[in-house]
Each structure stands twice: as C-alpha cells, then as structure tokens.
Amino acid sequence: QKEVEQNSGPLSVPEGAIASLNCTYSDRVSQSFFWYRQYSGKSPELIMSIYSNGDKEDGRFTAQLNKASQYVSLLIRDSQPSDSATYLCAPSPHQAGTALIFGKGTTLSVSS
Amino acid sequence: GAVVSQHPSRVICKSGTSVKIECRSLDFQATTMFWYRQFPKQSLMLMATSNEGSKATYEQGVEKDKFLINHASLTLSTLTVTSAHPEDSSFYICSALRGEAYNDQSNQPQHFGDGTRLSIL
C-alpha cells in the first residue's frame, strides 16, 4: 500500500509570495505523480503531472520530482487568493486501470 | 480536454430513499471509472472501481449491496445508494480514465466529475 505524506497545514502565505507544497512517498516503484487542487466543497482538478526527475513548469506552477529522495513538491509563484485550496499529491498506480489514492492534502491559504 | 459530467450535483432526501448518481464521460470513452466518497475535512476515500461490462470491484468495508454500481456503456457509470440513511450523507465523486491506449497507461491522470452532495434527513 502506497503511503503519501503531506503536511496538512494550513500553509499561510501572503499574496504575491511563493507557496511551497511538499509530498513524500514511501513506494520506490512510483513512476509519476499528479498534483490536484480541490477547492472547498468542490471536486479535485488536475493541475500538473510529472514523470521525470527534475522540474516541470506550467505558468505559475512548478512541480519538482526527486525519485532518489522520494520527494515531490509543487511551487506556486506569485500566489493569489484564488490559489487558496487543498492540494493533493498522488503517485501513479502500479497497475494500469487502478485508482489514485489520495492523502489528506495540504491546505493553502493566501491572504490579500 | 477530458470532461466528466456528474449528476445530480445535490440531493436532499428522506431516510430510506434510494438515490442514483450518474457519471458520464462527455468527450472520451472511459473503460474504467472510480467512485470516491469524502466526508467533511477528510480525504477522498475510494469506494469502488467500475469497469465497463463487468462487475465493480469494491474496497474493503464498502457494502456492495448498499452501493450498487452499473457501468453499462463506455461513457456512463451509475452509483445507486440503496435505502440511504443519515450516515450515508457525504460528497460522492466519480472519476474516469480514458479508454484509448497510452504508452504507459499507469501514467494516465484521472478526470473527476463535479461531485454529488448527498444529504439524508
């Protein structure tokens, strides 16, 4: 059973700052990771996926993966109040067609 | 993009009522759909995996006779909560995987519906 550890937060940052969200995992077999954002009362939405070691940038978001350290992170630059949500990290399943398993996620609060 | 439609978005009904929730993939074929449940301040909990044309696979502790899943086509899965009681009140969310081949299907993201908030009085 994969285990994903995220600091539940809340992580509070001022508007315009960089928010850093971290995720560690225990399963060395995991090949890729997904970051989902979930607003309160809403369903998760995919914001980024990362498959290779290193950084992947998409607009204000940068995902970082270090498979040797079993660590994945999400950086949000120029944080906005609209970024306030819970961010979920999920490793890809071993077997195609099986479900993502989510932890509790990290709640981010961006103050204006 | 991959769009998943879930209906209804909210249900309020009396105890003992059965409630059906539909999950549709609008612009792709979904051979596999998943049903999750989320209680307030909790993480998403996988309830079952639904494969088109076969019986659903339920997670441990989920009553298959209470939560009936039907995946009769490549674009539609339904979850029926039978004889719902107040403890079944929760946020139910479906998600879908595309049916077409990927180089590595385990790297497919899941696409979520908007969820159904079920309140049993």
Side-chain angles (χ1 to χ4, degrees):
Chain A
Q1 178 74 21
K2 287 190 284 285
E3 285 195 8
V4 172
E5 295 288 337
Q6 290 184 262
N7 187 333
S8 62
L11 173 65
S12 297
V13 301
E15 184 175 358
I18 296 175
S20 178
L21 305 161
N22 304 315
C23 174
T24 58
Y25 59 96
S26 58
D27 187 349
R28 290 189 173 274
V29 180
S30 295
Q31 292 299 308
S32 57
F33 292 85
F34 304 104
W35 280 101
Y36 285 82
R37 176 176 62 198
Q38 186 177 23
Y39 290 113
S40 180
K42 303 295 185 181
S43 66
E45 57 178 322
L46 179 69
I47 53 173
M48 286 198 75
S49 57
I50 184 165
Y51 308 119
S52 304
N53 276 325
D55 296 358
K56 178 181 177 182
E57 187 174 318
D58 184 0
R60 295 187 296 113
F61 298 95
T62 299
Q64 300 173 319
L65 175 59
N66 184 326
K67 294 185 181 182
S69 300
Q70 296 176 243
Y71 176 90
V72 59
S73 66
L74 180 70
L75 300 178
I76 306 175
R77 291 181 299 281
D78 188 24
S79 295
Q80 302 295 309
S82 58
D83 295 326
S84 298
T86 296
Y87 290 81
L88 306 168
C89 157
S92 61
H94 293 172
Q95 184 178 352
T98 56
L100 296 177
I101 303 300
F102 295 94
K104 289 188 176 182
T106 298
T107 299
L108 173 66
S109 177
V110 181
S111 56
S112 57
Chain B
V3 179
V4 176
S5 173
Q6 188 172 340
H7 178 80
S9 59
R10 186 174 181 90
V11 179
I12 301 173
C13 57
K14 294 180 179 179
S15 183
T17 305
S18 292
V19 178
K20 179 186 279 190
I21 303 169
E22 293 187 348
C23 181
R24 293 180 186 274
S25 56
L26 297 185
D27 55 353
F28 65 100
Q29 293 183 329
T31 53
T32 305
M33 291 184 174
F34 306 102
W35 288 95
Y36 292 84
R37 179 169 55 180
Q38 186 175 38
F39 293 105
K41 306 292 185 184
Q42 300 294 313
S43 59
L44 281 82
M45 296 301 297
L46 179 67
M47 298 177 66
T49 299
S50 170
N51 290 298
E52 186 267 337
S54 63
K55 290 185 178 180
T57 303
Y58 290 83
E59 296 299 301
Q60 189 174 5
V62 178
E63 299 175 58
K64 62 180 181 181
D65 294 330
K66 182 169 184 64
F67 299 99
L68 302 179
I69 292 173
N70 184 284
H71 194 155
S73 78
L74 285 172
T75 59
L76 175 64
S77 176
T78 61
L79 168 68
T80 300
V81 184
T82 62
S83 187
H85 289 93
E87 59 266 29
D88 298 321
S89 299
S90 188
F91 189 43
Y92 292 83
I93 312 171
C94 72
S95 69
L97 287 175
R98 288 179 180 269
E100 61 264 31
Y102 274 62
N103 290 334
D104 182 351
Q105 290 193 351
S106 65
N107 286 332
Q108 290 184 62
Q110 288 177 211
H111 304 281
F112 286 86
D114 288 339
T116 298
R117 190 159 304 282
L118 176 62
S119 299
I120 307 298
L121 305 177

